[in-house]
């Protein structure tokens, strides 16, 4: 942190994935003070835990490349400071999908390890349609479920052109939660000029639970920006990628 700003940025460096589409205010409009900073999309983390601030990881490998300016790949060797958690994380950006892979996930910290597939800001009522394997899930805030053998899911966006599909190769157990969160900018920007006004946003959380002290765990999921529910189901039935 600098001058008491960005006070809850601790897990952004653990693999946060920023998916930009036609919902141009996804990461603005009071996103940062209201989002659960322990569950940022794309990250692999110790549940409800942070590494010490102003410290560097001891891992030197993180980076990426592209092919002909059309396709990209990024990866990182994850080992947060002052934690035993480690993992190998990769992202493959193809023509219409982002393939996210994690392998060799390990920890001896005695805390559950999670990989966050999504934590998307919803509309004002938090009622964005969410479909899993063709079945509409409840739209009420507070709904939560552990969904076993999940093949695909689809979240309606806040504006046209902002739907997102999710494909889980080989199926997966996916945890889901709709929540409403209220906080002020002073919680992440502790300066006298910062407004203390309270703001509320609604979110959909999706995550994998790798358990406590995992050894050699992995994850696989595919982000499908702008696909409809029908297109997402069709993709899951005949995916373009093989892990």
């Amino acid at each position: 942190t600098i001058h008491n700003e960005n006070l809850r940025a601790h897990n952004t460096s653990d693999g946060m994935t920023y998916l930009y589409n036609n919902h141009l205010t996804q990461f603005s409009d009071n996103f940062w003070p209201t989002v659960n900073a322990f569950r940022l999309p794309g990250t692999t983390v110790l549940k409800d835990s942070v590494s010490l601030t102003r410290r560097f990881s001891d891992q030197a490998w993180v980076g990426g490349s592209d092919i002909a300016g059309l396709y990209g790949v990024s990866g990182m060797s994850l080992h947060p400071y002052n934690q035993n958690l480690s993992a190998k994380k990769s992202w493959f950006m193809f023509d219409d999908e982002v393939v996210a892979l994690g392998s060799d996930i390990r920890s001896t910290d005695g805390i559950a390890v999670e990989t966050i597939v999504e934590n998307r800001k919803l509309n004002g009522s938090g009622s964005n349609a969410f479909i899993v394997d063709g079945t509409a899930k409840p739209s009420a805030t507070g709904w939560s479920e552990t969904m076993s053998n999940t093949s695909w899911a689809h979240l309606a966006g806040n504006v046209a052109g902002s739907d997102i599909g999710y494909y889980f190769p080989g199926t997966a157990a996916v945890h889901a939660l709709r929540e409403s969160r209220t906080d002020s900018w002073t919680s992440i920007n502790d300066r006298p000029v910062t407004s203390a006004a309270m703001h509320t946003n609604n979110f959909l959380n999706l995550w994998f639970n790798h358990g406590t002290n995992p050894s050699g765990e992995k994850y696989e999921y595919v982000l499908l920006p702008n696909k409809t529910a029908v297109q997402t189901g069709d993709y899951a039935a005949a995916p373009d990628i093989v892990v």
Side-chain angles (χ1 to χ4, degrees):
T1 63
I2 299 176
H3 303 305
N4 288 329
E5 297 180 296
N6 208 18
L7 295 176
R8 293 203 299 243
H10 29 258
N11 288 346
T12 55
S13 60
D14 295 335
M16 184 174 180
T17 302
Y18 301 80
L19 178 57
Y20 291 93
N21 53 27
N22 278 355
H23 183 203
L24 300 180
T25 61
Q26 175 61 214
F27 298 106
S28 58
D29 191 24
N30 307 306
F31 173 90
W32 291 105
T34 54
V35 71
N36 182 349
F38 297 117
R39 282 189 177 148
L40 299 176
T43 60
T44 298
V45 294
L46 298 178
K47 186 178 187 305
D48 296 335
S49 301
V50 299
S51 180
L52 295 180
T53 58
R54 300 181 183 178
R55 297 287 185 174
F56 294 101
S57 169
D58 59 1
Q59 301 297 291
W61 204 94
V62 61
S65 186
D66 74 280
I67 299 175
L70 297 175
Y71 312 110
V73 59
S74 295
M76 68 182 299
S77 180
L78 176 71
H79 182 211
Y81 181 84
N82 202 40
Q83 295 181 2
N84 293 318
L85 172 64
S86 63
K88 296 178 176 64
K89 296 172 66 66
S90 300
W91 297 262
F92 297 85
M93 284 70 73
F94 297 132
D95 49 351
D96 61 354
E97 68 262 275
V98 178
V99 182
L101 304 179
S103 63
D104 200 25
I105 301 171
R106 300 178 181 273
S107 171
T108 57
D109 296 282
I111 301 171
V113 176
E114 298 180 341
T115 293
I116 316 306
V117 176
E118 186 63 277
N119 199 345
R120 202 74 178 169
K121 182 155 61 71
L122 304 177
N123 60 32
S125 62
S127 61
N128 301 52
F130 183 57
I131 298 173
V132 177
D133 291 336
T135 300
K137 294 298 182 178
S139 61
T141 299
W143 166 76
S144 65
E145 184 179 334
T146 299
M147 304 175 298
S148 302
N149 300 316
T150 302
S151 175
W152 64 271
H154 180 270
L155 177 64
N158 290 1
V159 299
S162 64
D163 287 12
I164 305 173
Y166 308 86
Y167 165 57
F168 304 98
T171 75
V174 183
H175 299 258
L177 168 68
R178 287 185 190 263
E179 63 176 347
S180 178
R181 298 178 60 86
T182 300
D183 211 335
S184 74
W185 282 95
T186 56
S187 66
I188 62 171
N189 189 332
D190 187 18
R191 299 188 302 158
V193 297
T194 303
S195 170
M198 302 301 287
H199 303 280
T200 298
N201 276 314
N202 302 296
F203 294 89
L204 177 74
N205 295 211
L206 300 175
W207 73 95
F208 303 126
N209 184 352
H210 303 296
T212 301
N213 297 337
S215 177
E217 287 294 305
K218 66 179 182 178
Y219 65 82
E220 304 169 357
Y221 65 94
V222 181
L223 301 176
L224 300 167
N226 302 333
K227 288 193 181 296
T228 66
V230 171
Q231 290 171 330
T232 302
D234 290 345
Y235 184 97
D240 289 345
I241 59 96
V242 175
V243 179

